[in-house]
Amino acid sequence: MEMTERQLIQEIFNTVDVIFEFENVDEDSKEYTLQVKRQDNDIRDINEINDEMKHYFKEANFDYQEEVEPQEIDCDIRVQIKR
């Protein structure tokens, strides 16, 4: 059984072990914007986390654009992905 887009996204974020929430979802065009935060006890560098996420999303054939420590929202990384 094949995973849905949302299941695959959730699996990737669980693998990287970060907290995430959907900011914007367009199921028709398969575009998603997500806000990502480190776990409270996570001491990894934000860029290390971003590189890991980028690797998994590229492997799953998603286009990946990120904004590290965006000014206008309270998250560590804002991610825009499209499949």
Side-chain angles (χ1 to χ4, degrees), residues 14-73:
N14 287 340
T15 300
V16 179
D17 196 25
V18 292
I19 300 168
F20 72 96
E21 66 180 62
F22 287 91
E23 179 181 318
N24 188 27
V25 174
D26 186 342
E27 298 278 351
D28 294 333
S29 65
K30 299 184 184 217
E31 292 183 47
Y32 307 87
T33 304
L34 300 108
Q35 296 178 16
V36 180
K37 294 183 180 182
R38 289 181 281 192
Q39 302 276 355
D40 288 340
N41 58 349
D42 193 345
I43 59 170
R44 294 177 293 171
D45 182 74
I46 293 173
N47 292 311
E48 178 184 337
I49 294 169
N50 183 52
D51 288 346
E52 188 176 353
M53 289 187 314
K54 188 183 299 188
H55 167 77
Y56 286 119
F57 280 111
K58 294 279 186 181
E59 196 173 79
N61 294 319
F62 281 90
D63 289 333
Y64 183 96
Q65 292 184 348
E66 76 275 22
E67 185 179 354
V68 177
E69 296 181 324
Q71 297 290 326
E72 69 279 358
I73 56 173

Side-chain angles (χ1 to χ4, degrees), residues 1-13 20 22 25 27 30 32 57 60 62 81 83:
M1 188 166 125
E2 191 171 316
M3 285 187 175
T4 67
E5 300 280 329
R6 282 182 178 255
Q7 288 171 325
L8 182 55
I9 291 167
Q10 184 172 354
E11 182 70 23
I12 290 170
F13 284 123
F20 72 96
F22 287 91
V25 174
E27 298 278 351
K30 299 184 184 217
Y32 307 87
F57 280 111
F62 281 90
I81 54 175
R83 197 159 196 202

